[in-house]
Amino acid sequence: MRTQVGIIGAGPAGLLLSHLLHLRGISSVVLERRSRDYVERRVRAGVLEQGTVDTLVEAGVGDRMLREGLVHHGIELRYGGSGHRIPFEKLVPGRAITVYGQQEVVKDLIAARLEAGGDVRFEVEDVEVHSLEAAPYLTFGGERLDCEVIAGCDGFHGISRPAIPSGELTYFEREYPFAWLGILARVAPSSEELIYSRTERGFALHSMRSPTISRFYLQVPPDASLDDWPDERIWAELKARLESVPGFTLSTGEIVEKGVTPMRSFVAEPMQYGRLYLAGDAAHIVPPTGAKGLNLAVADVRVLTEALDLFFRTGSAELLDGYSAACLKRVWRAQHFSWWMTTLLHTFESDDAYGRRLQLSYLDYVTSSEAAATTLAENYVGMPW
Ligand code: FAD
Ligand code: DHB
């Protein structure tokens, strides 16, 4: 079997890459170890930058997102007993975010690939990469797929990054002393916009998916187990952390999904080796506080598509050679913003009283200085694409 681009992983990065390549007349095969049902149900991110929205619309996979996605023009920072809105329409005019679940993006992309006759294989076993320096190929479940280029879109725990010879990559990493417990609940959102709440009990985030489905996150210990978090405890803790301003009542409902996500910052440099190109979580991870993970994956894929297009049209590897450098500027901006939002809003057990006062003072600055609020807003809505 032969294809131009062998893609490992049917997350947002792999599926979008396959679709964008198809639009340029470039063939690909996507190999995914999980089932279609599993990847379509995996609940993760929800905030799309304008650049991500534009990319999906231009690629013809944005219709449902435009119909069902919720466009937001601000977020609230809640701390010290009051809420402070960061007004995007004033600080970054014309730029907004769209709240639309990652698994809906994945469903839309899978539907588009299959409708176009794309080759997306689910439940594929033992994917391995070979001969990365020249004439690369993939093996899986007893089959061989010869490729001109391989795209490693297999997330943080995938096999493509570890297949790069040791010593070729430099890793930059930071772990955080907490995790996020995320839930999806059948209840109307209690707020029109997202609320990022910092309390002495820890951080909480109120997000949403639709007028009848809400999404919440709680800062929990890094080793937290779902067994320790029965539904009543989750609601009690969300109430304690979100009902921190006068007059705000959190509506509760049936919890339909729960999960714990570790928090880490991670970058592997460069994002390429030989004929293997890493995109999305395979190359970098951000803590979710800045809502950047999915958007970075889409940005990488856009850069890689242009580079592959030039390569297959003209034989020039100029853009491919510069792929990693072209991505890393945005990656590191998002790394800093995500780290900054995380340290601004979470409680750190190691912090003493001085550290906690500094954090509150910084929050006061961000919510009272237009320059500081603009920094937050322009990073949150995303760098221009
Ligand atoms: P992924 O979505 O991880 O896709 C990789 C795909 O590769 C998966 O389908 C996987 O099954 C497949 N794969 C892995 N190994 C192999 C293999 N050996 N062979 C074949 N296929 C393989 N970001 C936010 O902004 N907000 C959030 O709330 C948020 N929550 C998250 C919760 C969790 C549990 C995780 C893991 C991430 C979360 N993120 C969040 C980050 C965001 O979801 C990711 O940045 C985004 O999924 C990246 O897309 P991707 O396609 O690069 O990787
Ligand atoms: C969501 C996730 C995030 O990480 C975030 O910062 C905002 C919203 C969400 O899943 O809706």
Side-chain angles (χ1 to χ4, degrees), residues 37 43 48 62 69 77 82 84 88 106 117 141 169 180 191 193 205 207 214 228 230 259 266 268 350:
D37 189 54
V43 180
L48 309 185
L77 299 187
S82 54
H84 307 260
F88 301 157
V106 165
L169 297 182
W180 273 18
S191 160
E193 294 181 336
L205 170 59
S207 182
S214 299
D228 302 332
F266 172 86
S350 58

Side-chain angles (χ1 to χ4, degrees), residues 18-63:
S18 176
H19 182 67
L20 294 179
L21 292 177
H22 161 72
L23 296 178
R24 310 278 178 117
I26 300 167
S27 68
S28 67
V29 175
V30 181
L31 303 177
E32 165 61 49
R33 79 185 158 123
R34 301 284 194 176
S35 68
R36 176 177 177 185
D37 189 54
Y38 184 93
V39 300
E40 289 190 343
R41 280 171 194 260
R42 194 164 41 192
V43 180
R44 287 184 173 173
V47 172
L48 309 185
E49 294 177 6
Q50 193 60 48
T52 298
V53 169
D54 294 344
T55 303
L56 295 173
V57 170
E58 282 162 25
V61 287
D63 290 354

Side-chain angles (χ1 to χ4, degrees), residues 38 64 129 164 217 224 230 261 275 287 362 378:
Y38 184 93
R64 198 162 67 90
V129 302
I164 296 175
Y217 298 96
T261 307
R275 290 292 183 90
Y362 201 174
E378 75 176 356

Side-chain angles (χ1 to χ4, degrees), residues 266-269 271 283-286 296 300 324 326-338 383:
F266 172 86
V267 183
E269 285 189 25
M271 293 166 53
H284 42 72
I285 296 283
V286 284
L296 280 182
D300 289 350
S324 175
C327 292
L328 283 170
K329 202 167 170 196
R330 175 184 296 270
V331 167
W332 276 106
R333 177 86 299 276
Q335 286 287 334
H336 180 269
F337 177 64
S338 304
M383 287 163 73

Side-chain angles (χ1 to χ4, degrees), residues 7-11 30-36 38-39 42 44 120-127 140 154-159:
I7 300 176
I8 312 170
V30 181
L31 303 177
E32 165 61 49
R33 79 185 158 123
R34 301 284 194 176
S35 68
R36 176 177 177 185
Y38 184 93
V39 300
R42 194 164 41 192
R44 287 184 173 173
V120 184
R121 303 186 187 200
F122 295 97
E123 297 177 74
V124 162
E125 285 176 2
D126 303 325
V127 178
F140 58 97
D154 48 351
F156 184 68
H157 299 288
I159 52 98

Side-chain angles (χ1 to χ4, degrees), residues 148-170:
E148 291 182 53
V149 165
I150 295 174
C153 303
D154 48 351
F156 184 68
H157 299 288
I159 52 98
S160 53
R161 189 185 63 251
I164 296 175
S166 62
E168 295 289 340
L169 297 182
T170 305

